[in-house]
Amino acid sequence: MMAPLLDGVELMPGQLAELRAIDSLYYTHLATHSGSESEAGIYERVLARVRDMLREEQRLVFDRNREACGSCAARDSDRIERHR
């Protein structure tokens, strides 16, 4: 789930363990709390938590990747709307 956002970020072993825990909590929350919170809301909380565990130089890469992924999603959304 986070792979595109962490492209180019070298995580330390402790960060990898934390990322696995965050990932597990995300999927557990989705499975057990269906309908109580939007998937987008949960995803934003996960993004914030992952970003918080990163060092400053890692955050720069993460933020740059997130911006790039956001612009790709916007382009894909525009393309889908034009074809409707």
Side-chain angles (χ1 to χ4, degrees), residues 9 14 22-23 25 27 33 37 42 57 61 79:
V9 176
I22 292 167
D23 193 54
L25 286 171
Y27 286 109
H33 294 88
E37 182 179 0
I42 298 166
E57 64 275 5
V61 176
R79 191 175 321 121

Side-chain angles (χ1 to χ4, degrees), residues 2 9 12-14 21 25 29 39 41 51-52 54 58 60-61 63-65 77:
M2 289 288 127
V9 176
M12 303 301 291
L25 286 171
H29 186 86
E39 190 171 336
R51 189 177 186 282
D52 285 346
L54 299 173
Q58 293 171 317
L60 295 172
V61 176
D63 291 343
R64 187 172 44 237
N65 291 341
S77 176

